[in-house]
Amino acid sequence: MKIAVLGCGRWGSFHAWYAQRIGHQVMLWGRKGSHHLADLQATRKNEYLTLPDTVELTDDLAKAVAFAEIVIISISAQKLREFCQQLKELPHLQQKRFVLCMKGLEIGTGKRLTTIMAEELGTEVRTAVWVGPGHVQDFVREIPNCMVIAAKEMQLTKELVAAFASPLIRFYYGEDLLGTEIGAAAKNVMGLAAGMLDGLNYSSLKGALMARGTRELSRLIEKMGGDKMTVYGLSHLGDYEATLFSPFSHNRCFGEDFIRGRSFAKLAEGVYTVEALMDIAREYQLELPICATVYAIIHEHKEPQEELLKLFLRDNKAELE
């Protein structure tokens, strides 16, 4: 099949590498002036992988979309609506299958990424999400993992799983798009909290964070109309090892650097996601203690140790309330 990958950062370049590896024709797009694209054009390499010569590189968005049967989008979640403004000018989008390979919620609205796609490009545009555990650094070393693809329509999910399954990635069918998107996005917030615990030398508390964080998000997903059990799958809890413990996790590293006063090149996606989650929590009148604590530390500049320890001083309650 013909696959276009839009976005040539760490994950975009991986998706191009992976799609070519399993036998697809691949075109990788980067915006004009992108240093990631310039490096790939000059050397076919970045710090993670080497792209084969059969992967075509371009900065022509119309060309990339026209080429593809399946379009993978791998950009910053907060840039998706603006990016859709460019896409909507292109013809025949209804004939494409889109796969969002990023995680997040739109700040200011709290909307899911598939909702943004439908609002900007129309509900007839078929869109799925591809999320779950794994790091580029591990995949390129031939370490396999499991991931999940979810869409509103199961037929699209099955088509995409058939297109991308391989011995390197075992895919599962996601049956709850809402829960998959919320869980995948919120996982990054738990990653920030885990990094903060590491920064305070409280790493032993990450077990409690895993258990209580998952329960916290299950209540939210259920309140929003999704399946509360989805959060216990690959999109959220299944991704915790890669996010709460891995040295490769951007969100975990950001949380640790934030606590220890180190400089960071860019904000982690969880910084935006926690803002959106607090808006959603207010809308649904639901308490999210861990998310609220992360928000208070990052956005309200509260004292980190004091705020994190408050979580352990809350009133006693039944575990599954």
Side-chain angles (χ1 to χ4, degrees), residues 188-198 206 209 251 255 290 294 308:
N188 287 331
V189 177
M190 298 303 157
L192 293 177
M196 291 175 181
L197 292 174
D198 287 336
K206 288 198 284 190
L209 174 67
N251 286 278
I290 296 171
V294 172
L308 287 164

Side-chain angles (χ1 to χ4, degrees), residues 43-306:
T43 67
R44 309 293 300 186
K45 296 180 181 180
N46 59 25
E47 60 182 301
Y48 306 104
L49 51 79
T50 299
L51 285 178
D53 291 339
T54 50
V55 174
E56 185 175 350
L57 302 172
T58 185
D59 61 5
D60 186 333
L61 183 60
K63 177 182 178 182
V65 174
F67 163 84
E69 298 166 82
I70 298 174
V71 179
I72 292 174
I73 301 179
S74 181
I75 63 173
S76 166
Q78 301 307 318
K79 297 288 182 67
L80 180 60
R81 191 178 294 276
E82 177 186 347
F83 189 59
C84 285
Q85 298 293 326
Q86 297 176 258
L87 289 176
K88 72 195 306 181
E89 301 300 322
L90 304 178
H92 310 305
L93 297 183
Q94 296 85 357
Q95 299 172 15
K96 314 292 180 179
R97 287 167 285 179
F98 288 86
V99 187
L100 302 180
C101 293
M102 65 273 206
K103 305 159 186 173
L105 300 167
E106 186 177 47
I107 56 173
T109 69
K111 289 181 178 179
R112 296 179 287 126
L113 303 185
T114 58
T115 302
I116 294 170
M117 289 285 287
E119 288 180 351
E120 296 296 329
L121 302 181
T123 56
E124 65 276 12
V125 170
R126 305 171 74 202
T127 305
V129 299
W130 169 350
V131 297
H135 285 295
V136 172
Q137 295 92 327
D138 291 331
F139 283 129
V140 297
R141 291 169 53 216
E142 304 291 330
I143 299 174
N145 216 321
C146 299
M147 303 187 86
V148 61
I149 290 177
K152 188 175 181 179
E153 50 181 303
M154 181 54 67
Q155 181 59 38
L156 176 58
T157 298
K158 290 183 175 181
E159 289 173 7
L160 293 170
V161 167
F164 290 112
S166 80
L168 189 60
I169 302 179
R170 179 183 180 181
F171 286 99
Y172 287 82
Y173 304 137
E175 297 180 294
D176 172 26
L177 179 60
L178 183 151
T180 298
E181 288 193 83
I182 295 294
K187 179 259 329 179
N188 287 331
V189 177
M190 298 303 157
L192 293 177
M196 291 175 181
L197 292 174
D198 287 336
L200 292 168
N201 296 314
Y202 288 168
S203 300
S204 61
L205 300 183
K206 288 198 284 190
L209 174 67
M210 290 173 65
R212 298 311 304 166
T214 306
R215 178 60 183 152
E216 181 171 311
L217 273 301
S218 75
R219 294 197 307 272
L220 176 61
I221 288 169
E222 184 177 38
K223 191 87 169 181
M224 294 178 72
D227 183 347
K228 66 181 180 180
M229 296 306 295
T230 300
V231 77
Y232 295 94
L234 290 169
S235 65
H236 187 82
L237 181 60
D239 208 355
Y240 267 14
E241 189 282 330
T243 305
L244 273 63
F245 296 95
S246 173
F248 302 138
S249 169
H250 186 207
N251 286 278
R252 192 210 61 79
C253 291
F254 183 95
E256 182 175 356
D257 290 345
F258 187 90
I259 294 299
R260 294 187 171 170
R262 299 172 183 157
S263 60
F264 32 83
K266 65 176 184 177
L267 295 180
E269 187 59 47
V271 173
Y272 304 109
T273 302
V274 74
E275 185 176 344
L277 281 172
M278 296 315 298
D279 288 337
I280 294 172
R282 283 187 288 271
E283 179 183 351
Y284 286 90
Q285 298 182 323
L286 187 67
E287 189 177 14
L288 303 177
I290 296 171
C291 294
T293 296
V294 172
Y295 181 87
I297 292 170
I298 291 180
H299 292 282
E300 297 177 344
H301 312 294
K302 299 288 183 68
E303 204 285 316
Q305 185 174 25
E306 179 182 344

